[in-house]
Amino acid sequence: MTSELDIFVGNTTLIDEDVYRLWLDGYSVSDAVALRVRSGILEQTGATAAVLQSDTMDHYRTFHMLERLLHAPPKLLHQLIFQIPPSRQALLIERYYAFDEAFVREVLGKKLSKGTKKDLDDISTKTGITLKSCRRQFDNFKRVFKVVEEMRGSLVDNIQQHFLLSDRLSRDYAAIVFFANNRFETGKKKLQYLSFGDFAFCAELMIQNWTLGAVDSQVDDMDVDLDKEFLQDLKELKVLVADKDLLDLHKSLVCTTLRGKLSVFSEMEANFKNLSRGLVNVAAKLTHNKDVRDLFVDLVEKFVEPCRSDHWPLNDVRLFLNQYSASVHSLDGFRHQALWDRYMGTLRGCLLRLYHD
Amino acid sequence: MPGKLKVKIVAGRHLPVMDRASDLTDAFVEVKFGNTTFKTDVYLKSLNPQWNSEWFKFEVDDEDLQDEPLQITVLDHDTYSANDAIGKVYIDIDPLLYSEAATVISGWFPIYDTIHGIRGEINVIVKVDLFNDLNRFRQSSCGVKFFCTTSIPKCYRAVIIHGFVEELVVNEDPEYQWIDRIRTPRASNEARQRLISLMSGELQRKIGLKVLEMRGNAVVGYLQCFDLEGESGLVVRAIGTACTLDKLSSPAAFLPACNSPSKEMKEIPFNEDPNPNTHSSGPSTPLKNQTYSFSPSKSYSRQSSSSDTDLSLTPKTGMGSGSAGKEGGPFKALLRQQTQSALEQREFPFFTLTAFPPGFLVHVGGVVSARSVKLLDRIHNPDEPETRDAWWAEIRQEIKSHAKALGCHAVVGYSESTSICEEVCILSASGTAAVLNPRFLQDGTVEGCLEQRLEENLPAGCGFCHIPYDELNMPFPAHLTYCYNCRKQKVPDVLFTTIDLPADAAVVGKGCLIQARLCRLKKKAQAEANATAISNLLPFMEYEVHTQLMNKLKLKGMNALFGLRIQITVGENMLMGLASATGVYLAALPTPGGIQIAGKTPNDGSYEQHISHMQKKINDTIAKNKELYEISPPEISEEVIGSPIPEPRQRSRLLRSQSESSDEVTELDLSHGKKDAFVLEIDDTDALEDVHSLLTDVPPPPGFYSCNTEIMPGINNWTSEIQMFTSVRVIRLSSLNLTNQALNKHFNDLCENLLKSLYFKLRSMIPCCLCHVNFTVSLPEDELIQVTVTAVAITFDKNQALQTTKTHVEKSLQRASTDNEELLQFPLELCSESLPSHPFPPAKEHLESASSNSGIPAAQRAVTVEKASPVGEGNFRNRSAPPCANSTVGVVRMTPLSFIPGAKITKYLGIINMFFIRETTSLREEGGVSGFLHAFIAEVFAMVRAHVAALGGNAVVSYIMKQCVFMENPNKNQAQCLINVSGDAVVFVRESDLEVVSTQQPTANCQPLCTGGEVTT
């Protein structure tokens, strides 16, 4: 006796959260059944393995049918085929678009193309996330990217509107889209200590301050692209390190204020010129796409690592960066105060976030 | 020429991509009614076209309005080749034809294609202008209301319940016409869908005409079925109960200054019309029926009908009907005569209702059923479906005579069904023989003193159990005792019925679903030989099904079955029997005795031990079940026994002890030999198997109850959380060397596993009851068994449910009061009737109170205000709509029950009766058979919900999936499925919302109520 056909259809679509998670995690039906058995559900409910198998199959089929709708969440809201309470709809969407930290770190900043998709096998092996789940997450990134790439207006709002995600998740996706679009390098070994949260934090600051939309929300607001004009202008900052007098003056201003306040004062004093050169050169290089991609590598190499090797406490880094940015206002010969603030304001935030072990 | 149909096509959304090049679609719409077609403009390059068309107007006869569906086709315009069809929407405009129902159909409908399923949605507005032609009732039956609900709908009151209406129409099945060889599957499917839609429209109209002839205005318990007879054609048949319904007066009619000429008030004089004029006593029998009885029985059926009854196989010799028993006295005789006079003019005194207004059901005799095996033959002349008519007439005649043998004049809870395999067809009919109160059957003038006596003589809660037949001249040797409730009348020891548990029945503990399952192998044979084989097997199957039911009932410690439905399905090489019912312990009936096992070879020691071991197991199970279902009948105290029983003490005791120890006589015995229902003789492996199967039925997990009736006895505190579902399973049997036992086991496992799966899936709803569990078995192919289950799971409040210490009387009262206003209404009337100052029949009083508002005592008025629903329908709809933040799709509830827990139905919008075909030639790609059917059933639900929402409703009650015919051909990667569903579209209001409104009511003046009244018209 074999079961040819076995279905259950409710007027209100039944969603089992646990099975949904297993499905999202890319487990096959048999693996999912095994995992459920291990969770002790049979003892709790007195059900048999056959019942569990049938139940799991049924849920998987439902999810499979829902998947097409989940690709365009507003469709899920307006479709008539599955009657699902709004709270459940929200849960379905949110969970579907959720991603694994380990996975996102692997593809963050990579081009969301077929080529990358081919690497998913390796990522799956490396992270222990099933290939199926990797595919879903990758396709989600790509789908969101495609939809909002050319769109005007706030990136986060666009994502929220078209994918009905929570605020938190929309912000994360904004970061992913922003990184993918600008192809920031995040995979280098020296960047491995950074979490997705670190990058997302930086992305948000950069979107707020360094994109076209940051200047004037009325223009054809493109949150995904950096403000080219701004990047060009950053070359002007070079004078801060090129002009020796200016550099010395800047150093003395910072040192005077911070004397006695830093535990690593002497190290700071010794390293000031190197650090300043590093930060300003990063700015000046941002005209080239290639260097834009290396932004985080440069920041870590030129600033985070030197400080870390001298064991700067985070608070000292904060005091230094504050003073370093603020002192520029007292440099009479320097004319690009606004530009400096736009650059340094964001960079300071990013550096503080990036500065950890 | 009395109707103008107006249709506007507003917009489409989520259309499929029809042009691969542009990924877009150039859509336009064809609107067709009858032979007239209109087209919208082509909306270029969009998947969300905004046609915003003009109003397309069709001027049509109302006959066509009733028969024809509105057909909307969405197409993709193609300049160079033929336009591609995207899909269709069929809209039944019947609900617009009676003024109390919907006034407009407007909303998003799924666009359906028989090959691709749902492909986007279309927004349509439909209106009908009916000319106010007084003659229109003569030409068509517009205005007759149809209800699937098998009780008096909640916002109506039954003035007269006229009785049985039936009709059938036949046609050739398009799938089997020669043209089908050259047309596409899509064209063939659509031809079929359209034909069936037309046929059901025609059928409904014809039934409506019969109702009008009987001077009724509604059909309740309307059940329409399709027989797909294959080569020999397509039969659409329907049965129902004609009634004259009176809309329960809305508060507008009761409050002063609100005498706006609302619809309700206009109707009252109309309803009153047949009342005083007694010359029309008893509605005229429909002409059609008469032709049955006189038509020479054409022996079309080459096979003699073999039929079989459960309860009354004895040769009846002039007993029952007129003869009054000694015990019953003159009262019984009088009652009998009166009922008889009311019923005898009807050829078939049948009622498809399963629940009744209080006082309607006087006595219940037991289940009557009849089956007959027929050979199908091509229907030669579709206009004269005499053969099928004759077949059914024969069966109904038999049912009627069985009822008579039980001393009953009527059959309630009546239903008919068929099972077809190749050219063999089993026709089945069953119902419950009953004695009814004539008050509802004819004009209410004669009631008078009899009525009074009736109320006195029938104690609440047990009256229906009292035997209707003559004790000294019993149709079968049943074991009678004095009623354990009133101690005045005789009752049988077990009671089987097809109806719902009466609301006032005194019940101990909770009920449970009881199923008997049976398979019998049969040799493959052709035509007559096949039919003979089946006829020979049928009686054995019936017998065994009954034995199983009886044993399982005993095992549960219960003494009555309600909602019994026995389905016999015929396949190529086997017969399947599935009986479902809800077992309960009726307080009026004696405590059931246990089950005793007797071995055949008493001298074998180990065997003895085995037997006693089994006996112990059975006894344990009974004890466990009694605990589980809280069956602890109150011990009858000496005082009660001693007091007013007209019988000596000694004897009543004797009777009891007998019934407990060795109840050996059942109604089954006479019909099927000597085997005792309670003493199980283990004389062969078969019997051993039977005992084992008895014990393998696993009770539902804690927190779950199940029944196949509307309400679960013993549970009355439902919450509003409901989940209707359909589950389908098909198993393939390994065909080698199948024995009856193996087959039985497979079938048993299939059903048990299905139930287990349901319990598991719905575990989040605990504590919960599966209500109206409806199993359907079909045998689509040689080795396939298909079981389809539809039911509703309802969560109840556990805390309140634990208060079971109350006496059952209290409980039943509570239930009655929590039930709907229909029940409230009757006590009110009864008390007003008993007042000498109110000599008016109920309808008249309504009229008077409506116009003057003088005759109502303050207390009564208070009650009416309390339950008054301020009619602002639109207001309610907004209220009941859940706060789904950004979703545009309103929630539509579906339930097989006639009510929605925690809510009040304020309006019936019309009947939903839909038929769909889905076919695929890419079965694997659609997820195999399970994926295909899962998607299809979800789509069917969606289309039902969309139609209800478009009518302005928020629920479907009495929903039923009447057919789910699934055929597959995996080798060709093909599958096809036909589904037929029906139900009543309604508007409901949450009771919590109602309370809010009614507390506000004193401050509100009449103005809003008046406008509300206009809304309903």
Side-chain angles (χ1 to χ4, degrees):
Chain A
M1 183 183 81
T2 46
S3 218
E4 280 277 301
L5 183 156
D6 178 6
I7 57 160
F8 175 99
V9 191
N11 182 39
T12 305
T13 306
L14 276 185
I15 309 286
D16 186 308
E17 288 185 40
D18 298 332
V19 184
Y20 189 46
R21 201 178 292 272
L22 292 168
W23 179 74
L24 289 174
D25 287 343
Y27 291 106
S28 67
V29 173
S30 50
D31 289 348
V33 170
L35 284 166
R36 292 182 83 186
V37 169
R38 229 171 292 160
S39 76
I41 195 163
L42 294 186
E43 290 76 24
Q44 284 164 31
T45 58
T48 62
V51 165
L52 204 60
Q53 167 85 18
S54 138
D55 180 67
T56 311
M57 286 277 276
D58 220 56
H59 283 299
Y60 266 52
R61 207 164 34 237
T62 308
F63 298 142
H64 182 73
M65 285 191 260
L66 284 169
E67 191 164 22
R68 189 178 52 85
L69 298 162
L70 284 164
H71 290 166
K75 265 194 190 166
L76 184 68
L77 261 64
H78 295 290
Q79 55 83 32
L80 303 174
I81 298 179
F82 302 97
Q83 186 160 268
I84 304 170
S87 61
R88 288 264 141 173
Q89 288 179 344
L91 177 128
L92 283 173
I93 297 167
E94 192 77 3
R95 293 260 177 92
Y96 188 78
Y97 282 89
F99 48 81
D100 290 306
E101 166 85 19
F103 177 79
V104 72
R105 278 296 281 110
E106 292 296 323
V107 295
L108 191 65
K110 286 200 181 130
K111 195 174 172 189
L112 300 173
S113 65
K114 285 228 170 71
T116 315
K117 200 167 177 178
K118 278 182 191 143
D119 299 337
L120 291 179
D121 272 332
D122 300 337
I123 297 177
S124 169
T125 323
K126 191 177 161 194
T127 57
I129 298 165
T130 61
L131 183 62
K132 225 176 150 203
S133 179
C134 288
R135 289 225 178 93
R136 172 182 60 84
Q137 299 182 40
F138 182 80
D139 289 343
N140 282 345
F141 294 168
K142 196 170 160 186
R143 195 175 315 110
V144 174
F145 181 84
K146 281 251 147 105
V147 168
V148 299
E149 189 186 18
E150 303 285 326
M151 229 170 241
R152 299 177 183 186
S154 153
L155 185 55
V156 178
D157 289 354
N158 285 338
I159 292 170
Q160 215 157 14
Q161 197 184 330
H162 286 89
F163 292 92
L164 311 172
L165 304 178
S166 67
D167 188 53
R168 180 67 255 148
L169 200 54
S170 302
R171 283 167 196 279
D172 286 350
Y173 266 91
I176 292 163
V177 169
F178 184 73
F179 266 64
N181 190 53
N182 293 290
R183 310 271 301 281
F184 291 115
E185 174 63 54
T186 63
K188 281 265 162 61
K189 201 163 179 220
K190 55 183 56 163
L191 297 183
Q192 284 309 312
Y193 77 99
L194 293 170
S195 70
F196 170 73
D198 297 334
F199 288 117
F201 179 85
C202 300
E204 195 167 348
L205 284 178
M206 287 155 81
I207 292 168
Q208 274 163 18
N209 299 301
W210 288 5
T211 59
L212 270 172
V215 193
D216 184 359
S217 57
Q218 297 306 306
V219 299
D220 287 4
D221 188 350
M222 299 283 275
D223 265 1
V224 284
D225 290 320
L226 291 168
D227 183 352
K228 288 274 185 267
E229 223 170 290
F230 162 70
L231 296 182
Q232 287 295 333
D233 293 346
L234 284 177
K235 270 193 278 192
E236 306 292 340
L237 301 180
K238 244 193 151 155
V239 70
L240 284 172
V241 288
D243 186 330
K244 200 167 176 317
D245 297 340
L246 218 49
L247 183 60
D248 286 337
L249 185 58
H250 192 184
K251 180 181 171 182
S252 68
L253 281 171
V254 172
C255 289
T256 324
T257 329
L258 290 181
R259 188 180 303 274
K261 290 182 185 161
L262 294 190
S263 59
V264 287
F265 183 77
S266 53
E267 289 90 337
M268 186 275 282
E269 200 172 18
N271 259 335
F272 181 88
K273 286 188 183 171
N274 270 342
L275 292 175
S276 184
R277 242 179 239 124
L279 293 176
V280 172
N281 283 337
V282 165
K285 282 204 303 183
L286 288 178
T287 38
H288 305 292
N289 276 342
K290 162 93 186 50
D291 294 309
V292 171
R293 288 183 201 171
D294 283 336
L295 175 69
F296 289 93
V297 181
D298 290 344
L299 289 179
V300 169
E301 265 179 14
K302 300 280 159 43
F303 186 85
V304 176
E305 285 182 345
C307 296
R308 204 156 49 188
S309 65
D310 286 340
H311 305 292
W312 290 34
L314 181 61
N315 202 38
D316 285 6
V317 179
R318 181 176 294 115
L319 284 170
F320 168 74
L321 283 174
N322 286 348
Q323 203 48 48
Y324 176 74
S325 334
S327 315
V328 172
H329 296 285
S330 316
L331 297 175
D332 293 334
F334 187 69
R335 290 175 293 123
H336 308 286
Q337 303 291 356
L339 186 66
W340 173 255
D341 284 347
R342 188 176 173 190
Y343 172 66
M344 210 46 215
T346 301
L347 205 65
R348 187 182 59 211
C350 294
L351 287 172
L352 286 172
R353 177 77 192 220
L354 299 178
Y355 190 80
H356 62 83
D357 291 330
Chain B
M1 217 14 244
K4 197 188 264 179
L5 172 69
K6 300 191 293 181
V7 183
K8 185 181 179 120
I9 305 296
V10 183
R13 68 182 183 196
H14 305 152
L15 295 190
V17 170
M18 298 298 282
D19 179 6
R20 293 251 175 263
S22 66
D23 267 3
L24 289 167
T25 295
D26 304 324
F28 72 101
V29 182
E30 275 182 11
V31 185
K32 189 176 176 200
F33 189 83
N35 294 318
T36 318
T37 308
F38 292 103
K39 280 182 193 176
T40 66
D41 297 333
V42 176
Y43 196 92
L44 290 170
K45 301 199 181 312
S46 172
L47 299 182
N48 301 292
Q50 304 289 318
W51 291 290
N52 226 340
S53 78
E54 59 186 298
W55 284 100
F56 300 125
K57 290 174 187 138
F58 301 86
E59 297 185 337
V60 276
D61 287 340
D62 50 359
E63 198 174 309
D64 285 340
L65 279 175
Q66 283 191 294
D67 287 6
E68 294 267 352
L70 175 66
Q71 184 180 326
I72 293 168
T73 314
V74 186
L75 298 113
D76 177 53
H77 177 74
D78 205 325
T79 323
Y80 304 107
S81 59
N83 298 327
D84 293 326
I86 295 173
K88 284 189 180 208
V89 179
Y90 293 96
I91 301 177
D92 180 10
I93 45 173
D94 219 44
L96 294 179
L97 301 181
Y98 33 93
S99 41
E100 275 167 48
T103 53
V104 62
I105 299 176
S106 164
W108 289 100
F109 291 89
I111 303 168
Y112 181 72
D113 179 74
T114 59
I115 305 293
H116 293 101
I118 290 179
R119 304 170 99 191
E121 290 120 37
I122 184 168
N123 195 321
V124 181
I125 307 176
V126 185
K127 287 181 178 173
V128 172
D129 288 341
L130 276 180
F131 286 152
N132 233 355
D133 182 358
L134 284 175
N135 261 339
R136 75 188 144 116
F137 288 104
R138 303 283 165 255
Q139 297 152 13
S140 72
S141 56
C142 282
V144 174
K145 292 179 280 279
F146 285 80
F147 301 92
C148 294
T149 302
T150 54
S151 55
I152 300 304
K154 302 297 179 196
C155 39
Y156 292 88
R157 194 180 66 91
V159 179
I160 308 175
I161 298 173
H162 299 281
F164 192 57
V165 277
E166 52 72 41
E167 184 64 87
L168 65 79
V169 291
V170 298
N171 210 315
E172 270 188 275
D173 191 337
E175 184 108 335
Y176 293 88
Q177 284 164 346
W178 68 269
I179 196 172
D180 203 58
R181 292 183 197 155
I182 53 167
R183 67 181 163 193
T184 62
R186 175 182 284 119
S188 159
N189 291 341
E190 282 174 1
R192 247 175 146 186
Q193 286 194 165
R194 198 182 127 68
L195 177 70
I196 289 190
S197 186
L198 262 172
M199 286 168 81
S200 17
E202 185 192 339
L203 194 69
Q204 217 170 310
R205 179 172 54 83
K206 284 186 170 169
I207 292 243
L209 279 172
K210 288 188 173 179
V211 173
L212 291 173
E213 237 174 273
M214 297 166 101
R215 293 171 151 256
N217 65 1
V219 181
V220 179
Y222 184 66
L223 178 71
Q224 184 192 295
C225 290
F226 302 96
D227 296 333
L228 301 168
E229 296 186 351
E231 290 280 344
S232 59
L234 189 62
V235 177
V236 186
R237 56 190 166 79
I239 54 174
T241 305
C243 295
T244 300
L245 295 185
D246 193 357
K247 185 145 196 199
L248 279 178
S249 331
S250 62
F254 277 101
L255 290 171
C258 269
N259 293 339
S260 63
S262 71
K263 187 72 197 173
E264 288 85 55
M265 299 190 46
K266 265 191 240 160
E267 251 184 39
I268 289 167
F270 171 72
N271 287 333
E272 192 210 22
D273 174 50
N275 267 355
N277 302 332
T278 30
H279 68 265
S280 67
S281 71
S284 56
T285 327
L287 238 132
K288 193 82 185 181
N289 280 355
Q290 283 168 0
T291 50
Y292 295 147
S293 40
F294 296 117
S295 73
S297 58
K298 271 191 187 175
S299 54
Y300 235 118
S301 53
R302 277 166 280 164
Q303 171 62 36
S304 69
S305 94
S306 138
S307 63
D308 169 68
T309 34
D310 330 301
L311 295 169
S312 55
L313 273 192
T314 29
K316 304 106 200 170
T317 43
M319 53 139 147
S321 46
S323 64
K326 276 179 190 166
E327 302 291 322
F331 161 68
K332 228 176 194 173
L334 184 55
L335 178 66
R336 200 160 274 166
Q337 273 165 15
Q338 199 168 33
T339 321
Q340 196 178 8
S341 69
L343 286 169
E344 255 181 8
Q345 289 139 26
R346 289 159 228 224
E347 175 147 32
F348 298 114
F350 298 169
F351 300 85
T352 54
L353 303 180
T354 57
F356 313 93
F360 181 73
L361 196 63
V362 182
H363 300 304
V364 169
V367 170
V368 285
S369 77
R371 287 180 211 283
S372 144
V373 184
K374 299 287 181 191
L375 271 183
L376 296 172
D377 197 2
R378 183 170 282 278
I379 298 164
H380 295 285
N381 183 2
D383 295 328
E384 288 192 16
E386 280 167 11
T387 327
R388 269 66 177 174
D389 269 342
W391 288 354
W392 286 111
E394 214 172 79
I395 287 205
R396 288 169 193 146
Q397 209 63 52
E398 202 176 323
I399 291 272
K400 190 179 168 184
S401 67
H402 292 335
K404 266 219 176 92
L406 287 171
C408 298
H409 305 284
V411 175
V412 293
Y414 179 73
S415 67
E416 295 176 348
S417 64
T418 58
S419 171
I420 298 172
C421 179
E422 302 291 319
E423 73 251 275
V424 175
C425 174
I426 302 182
L427 311 184
S428 312
S430 72
T432 304
V435 173
L436 305 177
N437 183 343
R439 178 158 76 101
F440 295 92
L441 300 176
Q442 53 181 195
D443 357 13
T445 43
V446 227
E447 298 165 35
C449 62
L450 179 66
E451 181 90 20
Q452 296 276 344
R453 293 198 51 176
L454 196 92
E455 306 298 337
E456 284 164 25
N457 280 0
L458 289 179
C462 64
F464 73 94
C465 307
H466 301 162
I467 52 161
Y469 33 85
D470 181 358
E471 195 190 343
L472 298 179
N473 198 2
M474 279 195 299
F476 47 81
H479 192 108
L480 302 180
T481 44
Y482 275 92
C483 172
Y484 276 55
N485 199 23
C486 65
R487 306 249 137 215
K488 286 176 189 156
Q489 305 272 326
K490 295 272 174 99
V491 294
D493 51 358
V494 279
L495 189 61
F496 283 14
T497 74
T498 58
I499 55 171
D500 267 342
L501 185 69
D504 59 350
V507 172
V508 177
K510 294 191 169 67
C512 76
L513 180 72
I514 290 178
Q515 284 194 324
R517 305 158 187 140
L518 189 68
C519 306
R520 277 286 169 272
L521 286 167
K522 158 184 95 62
K523 285 210 176 68
K524 276 193 195 180
Q526 292 301 310
E528 289 194 26
N530 194 18
T532 315
I534 295 169
S535 319
N536 291 343
L537 272 174
L538 276 180
F540 294 98
M541 295 202 58
E542 296 253 16
Y543 170 69
E544 285 206 32
V545 163
H546 267 269
T547 313
Q548 250 190 62
L549 279 176
M550 190 65 87
N551 286 335
K552 288 190 177 178
L553 186 68
K554 296 280 164 196
L555 203 61
K556 293 280 192 297
M558 298 174 183
N559 57 18
L561 287 181
F562 287 89
L564 176 64
R565 186 168 159 258
I566 302 175
Q567 197 195 349
I568 304 259
T569 310
V570 56
E572 294 232 333
N573 55 353
M574 62 179 108
L575 283 175
M576 300 287 240
L578 179 67
S580 305
T582 301
V584 295
Y585 186 107
L586 285 177
L589 266 47
T591 313
I595 299 177
Q596 267 164 24
I597 299 184
K600 211 183 177 185
T601 46
N603 292 329
D604 188 340
S606 66
Y607 191 71
E608 282 279 278
Q609 204 177 353
H610 180 66
I611 295 281
S612 67
H613 177 67
M614 284 238 260
Q615 180 70 59
K616 188 176 175 306
K617 252 171 118 178
I618 286 180
N619 293 347
D620 288 351
T621 314
I622 295 178
K624 220 183 286 170
N625 279 330
K626 279 191 174 172
E627 197 179 323
L628 181 65
Y629 299 107
E630 296 158 19
I631 299 170
S632 47
E635 283 301 310
I636 292 137
S637 64
E638 289 296 309
E639 189 198 339
V640 178
I641 296 175
S643 55
I645 315 171
E647 207 61 34
R649 227 187 237 194
Q650 205 53 30
R651 196 181 152 196
S652 80
R653 276 221 185 119
L654 197 75
L655 278 173
R656 257 182 77 217
S657 65
Q658 257 183 6
S659 74
E660 272 159 12
S661 59
S662 60
D663 278 313
E664 277 168 0
V665 215
T666 71
E667 52 264 63
L668 284 169
D669 288 2
L670 191 90
S671 42
H672 305 293
K674 294 207 171 63
K675 193 168 175 186
D676 190 290
F678 309 128
V679 179
L680 287 177
E681 260 184 64
I682 303 191
D683 46 1
D684 57 4
T685 42
D686 266 17
L688 204 65
E689 207 64 42
D690 288 347
V691 177
H692 273 302
S693 72
L694 268 185
L695 294 166
T696 49
D697 275 12
V698 191
F704 265 111
Y705 292 93
S706 56
C707 62
N708 76 334
T709 46
E710 287 247 312
I711 45 165
M712 177 68 164
I715 300 177
N716 44 40
N717 39 338
W718 305 109
T719 68
S720 57
E721 198 189 341
I722 66 169
Q723 166 74 291
M724 188 283 295
F725 59 84
T726 292
S727 187
V728 184
R729 271 195 193 187
V730 177
I731 57 161
R732 183 176 290 279
L733 303 160
S734 45
S735 56
L736 294 167
N737 300 325
L738 265 182
T739 59
N740 277 334
Q741 283 97 327
L743 204 56
N744 274 336
K745 188 175 176 331
H746 284 319
F747 185 40
N748 222 6
D749 288 350
L750 172 61
C751 295
E752 283 291 316
N753 288 339
L754 188 47
L755 281 171
K756 275 185 211 158
S757 265
L758 298 180
Y759 296 137
F760 180 76
K761 277 201 173 291
L762 298 162
R763 65 193 185 282
S764 66
M765 294 181 77
I766 287 176
C768 148
C769 180
L770 299 187
C771 294
H772 216 286
V773 178
N774 187 11
F775 273 69
T776 316
V777 184
S778 51
L779 300 163
E781 272 175 53
D782 264 15
E783 290 120 31
L784 295 184
I785 306 177
Q786 177 190 332
V787 175
T788 310
V789 186
T790 298
V792 63
I794 314 179
T795 302
F796 58 89
D797 193 339
K798 199 173 191 177
N799 298 328
Q800 288 177 46
L802 289 174
Q803 303 172 357
T804 42
T805 45
K806 287 177 192 165
T807 67
H808 36 70
V809 181
E810 258 179 297
K811 244 193 264 175
S812 66
L813 277 177
Q814 199 180 359
R815 183 164 50 241
S817 64
T818 50
D819 223 296
N820 271 285
E821 76 278 76
E822 171 215 331
L823 294 177
L824 265 176
Q825 189 70 17
F826 276 99
L828 273 185
E829 262 153 30
L830 293 178
C831 79
S832 68
E833 267 167 46
S834 60
L835 288 175
S837 58
H838 283 278
F840 305 108
K844 211 163 184 182
E845 197 199 51
H846 263 268
L847 180 66
E848 174 141 313
S849 58
S851 54
S852 66
N853 191 40
S854 55
I856 311 173
Q860 263 191 51
R861 194 163 43 210
V863 176
T864 33
V865 170
E866 183 75 32
K867 65 188 165 79
S869 63
V871 198
E873 215 79 83
N875 189 13
F876 283 171
R877 226 168 284 157
N878 291 339
R879 274 173 181 284
S880 54
C884 35
N886 34 14
S887 169
T888 54
V889 185
V891 172
V892 175
R893 287 173 188 274
M894 291 167 76
T895 171
L897 308 178
S898 65
F899 65 98
I900 293 168
K904 184 171 139 68
I905 294 170
T906 55
K907 197 172 177 183
Y908 281 80
L909 299 166
I911 199 169
I912 296 278
N913 186 10
M914 297 166 97
F915 177 81
F916 299 103
I917 301 176
R918 180 87 153 77
E919 188 165 349
T920 183
T921 49
S922 51
L923 189 58
R924 272 187 296 278
E925 294 78 358
E926 292 191 35
V929 285
S930 295
F932 171 72
L933 195 60
H934 191 149
F936 182 38
I937 291 178
E939 284 175 343
V940 168
F941 286 1
M943 287 184 276
V944 170
R945 288 192 301 257
H947 277 79
V948 172
L951 287 169
N954 55 9
V956 188
V957 296
S958 301
Y959 167 82
I960 175 172
M961 183 178 280
K962 288 177 295 195
Q963 227 143 11
C964 177
V965 183
F966 178 73
M967 286 157 286
E968 58 172 324
N969 190 342
N971 297 331
K972 284 188 177 169
N973 207 17
Q974 286 175 344
Q976 192 192 35
C977 186
L978 295 83
I979 286 183
N980 178 216
V981 297
S982 66
D984 294 325
V986 299
V987 178
F988 74 86
V989 189
R990 290 244 157 273
E991 259 154 25
S992 50
D993 290 344
L994 261 185
E995 276 159 30
V996 173
V997 176
S998 60
T999 49
Q1000 287 168 354
Q1001 205 184 326
T1003 54
N1005 61 8
C1006 284
Q1007 202 51 44
L1009 294 179
C1010 288
T1011 53
E1014 274 154 29
V1015 169
T1016 51
T1017 57

